[in-house]
């Protein structure tokens, strides 16, 4: 009886905390990221609309001695992005697709466009994003600013997908940046967390779209490195891969779950039947409840 009551109380608490954390922020000027680690009060949040507007904003910030920080979808988890009393430039409305050349496998987008925006445009042409992250809701600017990784094991991190971009620096100048032009800025900005200026638009290299089979194998931690070198990297049919350490008490940090995404017999269906993207992950609420409950027991 007591156990049932305790369980019901726990579930009620889980629901309460779910509702609280799922609610939108009460104060639009108390800015934080996905982690909610470090909320700071900012002077204002400005929705980006035009290049001239952003140039004017940087000018104002300079005259008034204010710090400017840049927000994409705010899915970073370090609480590092925003400055107290500063201006936040929200890039999410700056999200147009500027050009797309399917034959050259290139697309140019404004930095606030999400990977979903790009996928909706390019998938019907049999093309895909080269380095795809676990979620497609992040902005291109936010992802390349942290030089994000994907599951693709051959195309490297995000920097390899970027051909060029335009950067608005703190002095109000817009610079073209690529491996050939202003090349010193290229590796600084891609992984620079917004510290070198505002990325306005980006030209990305695309790849052919493919359908994969997903298989997970379990193996001991000590066997993983050889498995990855000898069986994953040498198999041309394995296109993506991710491995996670076990956190289960019986195999805590001694077992791994390696997931391969490969070309296989079941991947011959037409790609067009897979163009529709899943908009929302199913079972999020029960998953969250179980996760929260799980933290309280072995
Ligand atoms: C559920 C989840 C899954 C994730 N999966 C992955 C993954 O698979 N691989 C991976 O590498 N990461 C992953 N991450 C981390 C995520 O990729 C990064 O946090 C990414 O930066 C999120 O993009 P965003 O649009 O939310 O950027 P934000 O969090 O808004 O910004 C990130 C940084 O980029 C800067 N920035 C944003 N836009 C611009 C711009 N236009 N110009 C200059 N600077 C800018 C910001 O100032 C900030 O420093 C995951 C995060 C979550 C919450």
């Amino acid at each position: 009886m007591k156990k049932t009551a305790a369980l019901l109380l726990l579930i009620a608490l889980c629901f309460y905390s779910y509702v609280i954390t799922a609610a939108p922020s009460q104060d639009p000027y108390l800015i934080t990221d996905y982690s909610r680690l470090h909320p700071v009060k900012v002077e204002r949040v400005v929705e980006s609309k035009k290049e001239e507007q952003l140039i004017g904003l940087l000018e104002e910030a300079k005259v008034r001695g204010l710090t400017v920080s840049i927000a994409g979808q705010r899915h970073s988890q370090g609480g590092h992005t925003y400055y107290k009393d500063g201006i936040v430039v929200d890039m999410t409305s700056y999200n147009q697709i500027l050009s797309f050349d399917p034959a050259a496998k290139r697309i140019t987008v404004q930095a606030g466009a999400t990977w979903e925006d790009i996928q909706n445009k390019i998938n019907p042409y049999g093309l895909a994003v080269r380095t795809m992250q676990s979620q497609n809701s992040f902005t291109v600017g936010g992802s390349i600013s942290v030089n994000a990784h994907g599951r693709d094991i051959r195309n490297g991190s995000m920097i390899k997908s970027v051909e060029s971009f335009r950067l608005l620096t703190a002095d109000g100048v817009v610079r073209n940046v690529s491996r050939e032009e202003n090349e010193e800025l290229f590796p600084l900005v891609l992984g620079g967390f917004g510290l070198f200026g505002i990325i306005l638009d980006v030209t990305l290299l695309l790849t052919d779209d493919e359908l994969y089979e997903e298989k997970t194998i379990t193996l001991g931690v000590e066997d993983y490195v050889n498995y990855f070198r000898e069986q994953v990297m040498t198999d041309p049919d394995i296109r993506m891969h991710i491995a996670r350490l076990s956190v289960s008490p019986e195999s805590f940090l001694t077992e791994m779950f390696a997931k391969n995404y490969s070309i296989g017999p079941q991947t011959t269906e037409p790609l067009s039947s897979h163009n529709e993207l899943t908009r929302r992950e199913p079972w999020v609420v029960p998953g969250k409840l179980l996760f929260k409950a799980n933290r309280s027991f072995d």
Side-chain angles (χ1 to χ4, degrees):
M1 188 64 191
K2 270 188 190 162
K3 273 189 182 168
T4 315
L7 195 64
L8 285 175
L9 182 67
L10 185 74
I11 290 174
L13 279 172
C14 289
F15 256 119
Y16 175 73
S17 66
Y18 176 74
V19 170
I20 291 293
T21 52
S25 181
Q26 298 293 306
D27 184 340
Y29 300 108
L30 197 60
I31 294 293
T32 181
D33 62 22
Y34 197 72
S35 68
R36 295 173 190 244
L37 271 180
H38 181 51
V40 287
K41 194 93 177 163
V42 297
E43 199 220 45
R44 69 187 198 271
V45 180
V46 179
E47 198 184 320
S48 304
K49 292 209 172 76
K50 291 213 154 65
E51 198 171 309
E52 306 77 60
Q53 168 216 11
L54 294 175
I55 294 171
L57 192 75
L58 293 191
E59 181 60 40
E60 181 206 325
K62 200 176 188 180
V63 171
R64 295 179 53 209
L66 296 177
T67 312
V68 174
S69 48
I70 312 156
Q73 289 289 346
R74 295 199 229 152
H75 270 58
S76 283
Q77 294 156 299
H80 57 277
T81 307
Y82 308 103
Y83 288 89
K84 192 172 167 296
D85 300 327
I87 301 176
V88 177
V89 181
D90 180 340
M91 295 299 286
T92 51
S93 324
Y94 202 78
N95 61 355
Q96 297 304 302
I97 291 181
L98 301 176
S99 68
F100 172 44
D101 183 345
K105 297 183 189 173
R106 275 175 180 70
I107 192 164
T108 303
V109 296
Q110 289 183 328
T114 62
W115 299 105
E116 181 185 5
D117 296 332
I118 296 184
Q119 286 174 322
N120 281 326
K121 179 79 182 173
I122 67 176
N123 284 1
Y125 293 83
L127 293 172
V129 172
R130 273 196 180 186
T131 295
M132 191 56 224
Q133 297 165 263
S134 59
Q135 259 72 20
N136 63 0
S137 51
F138 311 135
T139 64
V140 171
S143 302
I144 66 173
S145 291
V146 304
N147 192 15
H149 64 87
R151 291 179 187 196
D152 185 301
I153 44 178
R154 289 166 225 278
N155 284 317
S157 58
M158 207 58 90
I159 190 168
K160 288 211 181 155
S161 310
V162 179
E163 185 171 74
S164 59
F165 55 89
R166 290 190 318 128
L167 182 75
L168 169 59
T169 44
D171 52 9
V173 177
V174 177
R175 294 176 163 83
N176 295 324
V177 183
S178 68
R179 289 176 182 82
E180 292 79 37
E181 200 175 356
N182 290 311
E183 62 273 18
E184 71 288 355
L185 283 170
F186 195 80
L188 293 177
V189 175
L190 302 177
F193 288 83
L195 293 176
F196 295 89
I198 303 176
I199 300 168
L200 296 173
D201 38 63
V202 189
T203 298
L204 293 163
L205 306 168
L206 304 171
T207 189
D208 292 327
D209 201 5
E210 291 176 327
L211 196 59
Y212 301 142
E213 283 175 12
E214 185 188 289
K215 277 199 193 114
T216 305
I217 66 153
T218 307
L219 74 173
V221 165
E222 66 286 352
D223 301 324
Y224 178 72
V225 173
N226 280 344
Y227 168 75
F228 182 73
R229 282 198 187 126
E230 288 162 19
Q231 293 188 53
V232 177
M233 288 310 278
T234 55
D235 183 343
D237 285 342
I238 301 181
R239 303 299 172 89
M240 301 201 302
H241 175 88
I242 188 165
R244 291 199 163 97
L245 287 160
S246 169
V247 288
S248 159
E250 308 83 58
S251 55
F252 187 68
L253 305 187
T254 58
E255 244 175 30
M256 294 193 70
F257 306 102
K259 195 180 272 199
N260 292 317
Y261 302 80
S262 337
I263 299 284
Q266 285 162 39
T267 56
T268 48
E269 292 174 53
L271 281 169
S272 52
S273 54
H274 293 269
N275 277 348
E276 192 144 326
L277 299 172
T278 308
R279 291 229 32 103
R280 194 159 171 78
E281 217 173 307
W283 302 107
V284 171
V285 174
K288 271 196 174 182
L289 291 179
L290 278 175
F291 180 69
K292 281 176 191 275
N294 188 36
R295 285 196 299 199
S296 313
F297 303 99
D298 272 357

